[in-house]
Amino acid sequence: LYRPHWAPTAPEGLAFHEFKGVYHASFGDFYAGQVKVPVGWEGIQNPKDLWLPRSFLYEKGLIPLYDTGAGFSSSYRGFYMNLLVHQGEGAGVSNTDDRIFVTGQWGVNGPARSNMGLSLSTGRYLDGTGKENRVRSGTAYFGFNILGLGLQVDATYMRVIDPVKHVDKFVWHGDLQHPITDNIYLIARYEQYTPDTEKSADGESRIYAGGEIRSKNEVSRLFVFYVKN
């Protein structure tokens, strides 16, 4: 479920990814429940549309993928926005520290199935020692898909502020998809994660190289990858 690293231990058992109630108005949608947090292109994609596993942004628990909250979304002639007030603890857990996050996203869908935009997030959480940390982050994203040739880039800059100091983090990834036939695609990714930009030598990087085979009706998909850290 890709909960943030500060989230309390979740109870064992069945957990839902997403469930919500929506009120449709002429100017947009009001919603509440357990929903995707609108960060970048990766964060709002359906799992079935992903080319590769979730990136460092979610693997390292920098933000929740799903969270409980309420928000408003709207779109007009290709432009869209989404504003969410959420607990910041992730899916399937209760808000134990009584703190909240606010995340907003603004973007535009253009020609060649392009998508670009910006996400901003701010919030507070308690770490394992009981200290309050404040989080500020911004994510820029861009991508397109032209006759099967696709590109997706997400980059996030985050500042975590505790009572003593602040730490700046940076994470990004670029994905490329190229069709060989109607059913076979080559897929590659390069991604980096820097947990402290003042100590860039502590960063991590990873390369994916492989491909995907789809059935003619796309009911089934087979992925094969080589991964190098």
Side-chain angles (χ1 to χ4, degrees):
L1 294 175
Y2 295 100
R3 300 180 180 95
H5 64 81
W6 61 82
T9 302
E12 296 183 0
L14 181 67
F16 293 96
H17 282 184
E18 190 172 8
F19 56 88
K20 63 182 178 180
V22 181
Y23 173 74
H24 299 287
S26 60
F27 51 87
D29 296 336
F30 295 91
Y31 62 90
Q34 186 167 283
V35 298
K36 291 188 184 74
V37 179
V39 172
W41 194 346
E42 179 187 10
I44 59 176
Q45 280 186 304
N46 289 321
K48 68 180 181 63
D49 296 326
L50 294 175
W51 299 346
L52 290 157
R54 295 290 180 184
S55 67
F56 278 137
L57 181 66
Y58 297 101
E59 182 181 310
K60 301 298 182 181
L62 300 182
I63 60 171
L65 177 59
Y66 298 93
D67 207 359
T68 302
F72 172 77
S73 64
S74 182
S75 61
Y76 179 72
R77 294 186 177 180
F79 294 91
Y80 61 89
M81 61 82 62
N82 194 347
L83 184 64
L84 175 67
V85 179
H86 54 111
Q87 66 178 15
E89 303 284 2
V93 295
S94 59
N95 188 1
T96 58
D97 60 10
D98 295 324
R99 286 156 173 79
I100 62 170
F101 278 64
V102 179
T103 300
Q105 184 179 56
W106 300 264
V108 58
N109 292 307
R113 297 175 63 186
S114 62
N115 186 10
M116 63 183 299
L118 176 69
S119 299
L120 300 174
S121 186
T122 181
R124 301 178 297 159
Y125 69 88
L126 296 181
D127 64 17
T129 65
K131 292 188 300 183
E132 182 177 87
N133 289 255
R134 290 177 289 155
V135 178
R136 310 285 186 270
S137 70
T139 300
Y141 59 96
F142 169 76
F144 62 81
N145 193 306
I146 304 174
L147 300 176
L149 175 62
L151 172 72
Q152 295 181 6
V153 179
D154 284 64
T156 299
Y157 190 87
M158 175 177 290
R159 172 165 288 187
V160 181
I161 308 166
D162 68 21
V164 179
K165 64 184 187 306
H166 73 264
V167 175
D168 293 331
K169 305 173 184 288
F170 182 69
V171 58
W172 76 277
H173 71 92
D175 298 350
L176 183 67
Q177 181 188 70
H178 180 66
I180 302 301
T181 70
D182 290 341
N183 304 102
I184 301 176
Y185 293 77
L186 295 179
I187 303 175
R189 167 186 286 171
Y190 180 75
E191 61 179 334
Q192 286 185 319
Y193 168 53
T194 306
D196 187 342
T197 57
E198 294 185 358
K199 303 175 182 177
S200 58
D202 295 338
E204 301 179 48
S205 62
R206 184 162 57 196
I207 297 172
Y208 288 84
E212 173 192 1
I213 302 174
R214 303 179 181 180
S215 63
K216 290 185 178 181
N217 53 12
E218 297 194 11
V219 171
S220 60
R221 303 166 70 188
L222 174 65
F223 294 88
V224 179
F225 296 110
Y226 169 77
V227 182
K228 179 176 175 56
N229 292 308

